[in-house]
Amino acid sequence: MSEGLGEEVKTNPQGDVITAAPAPTKEAKKGAAAQRVVDPDYLFLQAPREKTFITGSEAAKEAIRRANVDVAISYPITPQSETMQQVGYLYAEGYVKDYYRGEEEYGVMSAIAGASRSGVRCLSATAGPGLMRGLEVISSWPGGRLPAVLLIMCRVINAPLAIQPDNVELSYMLNTGCLLFHAENQQDFYDYALAAFMIGEKPEVTLPVAVAVDGFFVTHARGWVSLPAADIKLPPRDCYHEAVPMMDNENPPIRISRDAPIQKSNFISYQMHASWQQEIWAAQERSRKWIERWLGGLVEVVNPKAKIMIVASGAAVSQSREAVRQAAEQGIEVGLVKIKSVRPFPAEEVRAALDHAEKILVPEFNYVGWLAKEVKSTIRGSERVISGPRVFGGMSMPTELILEYIMGTPNRR
């Protein structure tokens, strides 16, 4: 073919050859950008679910995938590290907008406070000694009315040090002002963690939520978890409809802190602090309706008419369920009260469930028996409560041990 018949070459006024640029291809959306925002009621209660066999850490990952999280910050500590490693995968996949390792737990919890003040949705996680190190800052979150979700993978904190399961650390969380849920299994760890974001961010609540789980028993073991589709997620945080203004150019930090004249008056300062603390605990109570709506109540009661009742939370619930089954095989009816929400504590529900009981057992994975103390201070006739069995330092709790208490062999209170 002669050159004269070739394709015409186009040039610009300067004589440069104009080449046709390929039309830009539309990249497929990935991660959170490909998800659809849905109503929380639909995500929690109505969306079709499929069962999958995953670890507790993986269940937490699936909750975070659907939680529309802006910032995730943590510092490694066993057995929490695996969960935040899973969250790191979500960051790489585009489901979490920012993610990094802090310098240590005090710095992590401080960074979460700053992020929450700016109005974004925050996540952190820790375990055992890490929780103790960050506790000073965590205790300030409720007073700052800072919604955030803290995952706690319980382990030994006291000497001789170990990394084994033990939930004595939750006794330190009881009076911080944070909401506190205690998950029994992998399914709970998914459901509680996901709902915690919306409960804590409700305008009448505006509080941080800690979701605890017994380390290794749940975090590193597999169980069946029903999950909705991964292409739906929660609405973003609506920070301008919460109890306190967010920190931005219209609300700089100095306007959020106490005014100087108040700081100069101890009397006014005391009064303001007292009323503020009362409001935090009142806000905890206002979270009840959302716990009932999205988690099916603050407690679950099995065999409600039984004269022998067990009260338990966390992994102790699973062991108690099996003990209840084995007792039934021996012709003994035993009931069970599962505590889902430790804060707010379900005082009315516990009193109603135990009013008729003649004998009440409280098995726990810790030395101090913090749940037994809660139950004793709540019900009438606390002499009915047997504080035990209790195991700690990483010991397992054989169902035979619970049955021994049911049969009445031990006389410990």
Side-chain angles (χ1 to χ4, degrees):
M1 183 182 294
S2 69
E3 292 183 10
L5 298 177
E7 186 176 345
E8 182 183 0
V9 177
K10 296 182 178 179
T11 61
N12 62 17
Q14 290 74 35
D16 300 323
V17 177
I18 299 175
T19 57
T25 57
K26 190 175 181 180
E27 291 188 9
K29 293 181 179 179
K30 297 179 180 178
Q35 289 178 303
R36 175 169 52 94
V37 172
V38 297
D39 187 273
D41 281 342
Y42 177 79
L43 183 53
F44 298 149
L45 307 174
Q46 302 164 9
R49 294 192 177 202
E50 290 188 3
K51 279 190 172 183
T52 182
F53 196 61
I54 55 179
T55 67
S57 296
E58 291 167 336
K61 173 188 177 184
E62 294 307 316
I64 305 309
R65 186 195 301 278
R66 295 158 177 81
N68 213 345
V69 170
D70 295 299
V71 180
I73 313 168
S74 73
Y75 185 79
I77 187 168
T78 303
Q80 166 267 147
S81 301
E82 183 171 308
T83 298
M84 290 309 286
Q85 179 188 23
Q86 297 286 335
V87 175
Y89 294 145
L90 292 178
Y91 171 70
E93 296 168 10
Y95 289 98
V96 176
K97 297 181 182 67
D98 201 0
Y99 168 89
Y100 68 91
R101 174 185 61 78
E103 61 269 32
E104 40 70 48
E105 286 83 0
Y106 197 98
V108 166
M109 303 313 166
S110 299
I112 287 292
S116 183
R117 282 190 190 281
S118 71
V120 300
R121 182 166 290 161
C122 309
L123 166 75
S124 188
T126 190
L131 176 66
M132 296 296 100
R133 187 171 178 81
L135 194 58
E136 179 182 348
V137 183
I138 293 169
S139 300
S140 74
W141 290 355
R145 306 305 295 269
L146 302 176
V149 170
L150 174 67
L151 304 179
I152 301 173
M153 293 69 169
C154 298
R155 56 163 279 190
V156 170
I157 62 170
N158 37 8
L161 198 58
I163 62 171
Q164 303 300 329
D166 185 315
N167 59 40
V168 69
E169 66 197 273
L170 297 186
S171 64
Y172 293 85
M173 288 293 296
L174 297 178
N175 298 314
T176 60
C178 296
L179 303 185
L180 176 60
F181 305 152
H182 197 183
E184 174 191 355
N185 49 33
Q186 294 82 0
Q187 182 69 64
D188 281 356
F189 205 29
Y190 167 82
D191 290 328
Y192 293 5
L194 187 58
F197 289 101
M198 298 309 298
I199 294 171
E201 293 172 11
K202 282 294 174 184
E204 68 272 35
V205 181
T206 315
L207 287 174
V209 185
V211 180
V213 69
D214 293 288
F216 296 106
F217 290 146
V218 178
T219 56
H220 289 62
R222 291 183 182 274
W224 288 106
V225 179
S226 296
L227 299 173
D231 63 350
I232 56 177
K233 62 181 177 182
L234 291 174
R237 180 177 167 186
D238 188 6
C239 61
Y240 288 99
H241 291 87
E242 294 172 353
V244 296
M246 293 304 102
M247 185 176 64
D248 57 17
N249 288 337
E250 296 296 325
N251 298 289
I254 190 64
R255 291 180 60 184
I256 298 175
S257 64
R258 296 192 302 182
D259 293 332
I262 292 178
Q263 289 177 322
K264 292 178 181 177
S265 167
N266 283 341
F267 178 77
I268 296 176
S269 176
Y270 297 156
Q271 295 300 313
M272 188 180 76
H273 185 81
S275 61
W276 195 253
Q277 289 299 310
Q278 291 169 6
E279 166 57 15
I280 291 171
W281 293 97
Q284 279 203 1
E285 292 300 310
R286 293 196 292 268
S287 71
R288 284 175 170 272
K289 67 178 181 182
W290 300 109
I291 300 171
E292 291 169 354
R293 179 166 176 162
W294 288 329
L295 299 183
L298 284 71
V299 301
E300 173 194 343
V301 182
V302 177
N303 296 337
K305 296 182 180 179
K307 297 297 184 184
I308 302 175
M309 298 292 292
I310 299 174
V311 183
S313 66
V317 177
S318 296
Q319 298 304 101
S320 299
R321 288 187 195 278
E322 177 61 15
V324 168
R325 187 191 68 79
Q326 294 180 10
E329 289 181 344
Q330 300 181 42
I332 303 173
E333 185 181 34
V334 179
L336 170 63
V337 180
K338 170 182 174 178
I339 305 293
K340 301 179 184 179
S341 171
V342 181
R343 287 290 182 272
F345 191 73
E348 293 181 9
E349 293 88 341
V350 167
R351 278 194 290 269
L354 301 180
D355 189 49
H356 68 288
E358 298 174 355
K359 183 176 182 179
I360 302 164
L361 311 179
V362 187
E364 296 184 67
F365 282 95
N366 65 77
Y367 178 76
V368 300
W370 55 263
L371 182 57
K373 293 174 183 175
E374 293 283 316
V375 174
K376 285 182 178 180
S377 65
T378 298
I379 66 171
R380 293 177 290 273
S382 61
E383 68 277 3
R384 295 175 294 161
V385 178
I386 297 176
S387 181
R390 297 203 300 268
V391 296
F392 35 89
M395 289 179 62
S396 60
M397 184 184 292
T399 53
E400 291 82 358
L401 185 60
I402 302 176
L403 286 171
E404 181 184 345
Y405 274 66
I406 291 174
M407 302 305 178
T409 304
N411 185 21
R412 308 162 188 162
R413 290 178 178 173

